[in-house]
Amino acid sequence: EAGVTQSPTHLIKTRGQQATLRCSPISGHTSVYWYQQALGLGLQFLLWYDEGEERNRGNFPPRFSGRQFPNYSSELNVNALELEDSALYLCASSLLRGQETQYFGPGTRLLVL
Amino acid sequence: SQQGEEDPQALSIQEGENATMNCSYKTSINNLQWYRQNSGRGLVHLILIRSNEREKHSGRLRVTLDTSKKSSSLLITASRAADTASYFCATASVSGYSTLTFGKGTMLLVSP
């Protein structure tokens, strides 16, 4: 069974640009979660999608947005990039919504110059 | 703010020794989970303990949960160099339509 996949693995952008990160969950998983892991700050919850709907959102500005497609894959968009957006962005999926075991992808490392 | 707080922030031991990491949290939970992250990679789920459980084992891992003290511990017995990683606890709160909240992690270094 294929795990959670994320693309691209690395992304370099300049300040003010937009970044799009993609995630494919494990087959059969309907919930997708996005986290930001900046250096020394642990995992910060960004967004949770389930059955195509945004279910919960972390304490991030509106320029962080996303969506979930009918096949349950998901996209995270970050507009007007700032230097502090440089981080590892992790996607996870789960079979049951919200509070059960999450399976993580390898992450996309975003560098904003 | 983070729900779970791991302690210590970093731990350095020799192969064969036991490693104990602690996690404290603030609100009532449905379950608590431990994850491992090898350097710069995705997290791997280790074990889940529910609020009505006190202890759980999985191979060389032993997790305890004390809901009265709002704390959990992860014990790795007979550590190996391959156990070198960061370990995170994650809590599932009883309140609201919520997901997991992760702590900042304990960095474990196991030297051969």
Side-chain angles (χ1 to χ4, degrees):
Chain A
E1 178 183 89
V4 177
T5 60
Q6 291 186 246
S7 63
T9 54
H10 293 81
L11 191 57
I12 300 175
K13 294 283 187 177
T14 56
R15 197 169 51 183
Q17 286 188 315
Q18 180 198 33
T20 299
L21 288 64
R22 296 179 177 84
C23 171
S24 291
I26 291 172
S27 178
H29 288 192
T30 61
S31 275
V32 171
Y33 315 83
W34 287 96
Y35 296 89
Q36 181 195 67
Q37 188 177 31
L39 201 60
L41 290 182
L43 269 77
Q44 305 284 331
F45 167 68
L46 266 165
L47 290 159
W48 168 24
Y49 292 96
D50 181 67
E51 298 280 0
E53 299 286 332
E54 182 180 302
R55 300 297 183 183
N56 205 347
R57 181 183 182 87
N59 189 23
F60 280 84
R63 57 190 187 83
F64 286 85
S65 65
R67 53 181 172 166
Q68 187 177 33
F69 299 100
N71 66 353
Y72 303 117
S73 67
S74 178
E75 198 173 85
L76 174 68
N77 294 293
V78 188
N79 293 321
L81 284 165
E82 300 178 2
L83 298 179
E84 52 265 34
D85 297 333
S86 295
L88 180 67
Y89 289 83
L90 292 165
C91 170
S93 72
S94 70
L95 183 58
L96 299 175
R97 55 172 59 179
Q99 301 192 336
E100 297 300 319
T101 300
Q102 295 184 12
Y103 298 85
F104 283 79
T108 292
R109 191 164 293 279
L110 172 64
L111 177 61
V112 183
L113 302 174
Chain B
S1 63
Q2 298 288 352
Q3 160 80 310
E5 293 286 339
E6 291 92 341
D7 170 62
Q9 287 188 327
L11 180 61
S12 182
I13 59 173
Q14 299 290 122
E15 261 191 331
E17 294 180 339
N18 294 342
T20 299
M21 287 159 268
N22 302 297
C23 171
S24 60
Y25 56 92
K26 296 173 184 172
T27 63
S28 296
I29 61 171
N30 283 326
N31 68 65
L32 184 145
Q33 304 177 33
W34 286 90
Y35 289 79
R36 184 187 74 220
Q37 183 181 34
N38 290 87
S39 179
R41 294 175 169 265
L43 278 69
V44 174
H45 180 260
L46 295 176
I47 198 164
L48 181 155
I49 186 165
R50 300 196 182 278
S51 58
N52 61 353
E53 297 176 309
R54 292 296 166 258
E55 188 171 312
K56 207 161 182 180
H57 297 254
S58 177
R60 294 184 295 112
L61 306 180
R62 172 180 168 249
V63 169
T64 62
L65 179 64
D66 187 334
T67 53
S68 66
K69 295 181 179 178
K70 291 186 168 56
S71 68
S72 172
S73 68
L74 170 67
L75 169 68
I76 304 174
T77 60
S79 296
R80 305 166 182 168
D83 295 328
T84 294
S86 291
Y87 292 81
F88 295 86
C89 69
T91 52
S93 172
V94 298
S95 61
Y97 198 44
S98 63
T99 182
L100 300 178
T101 304
F102 286 81
K104 292 187 178 182
T106 291
M107 192 177 302
L108 173 66
L109 173 64
V110 183
S111 301

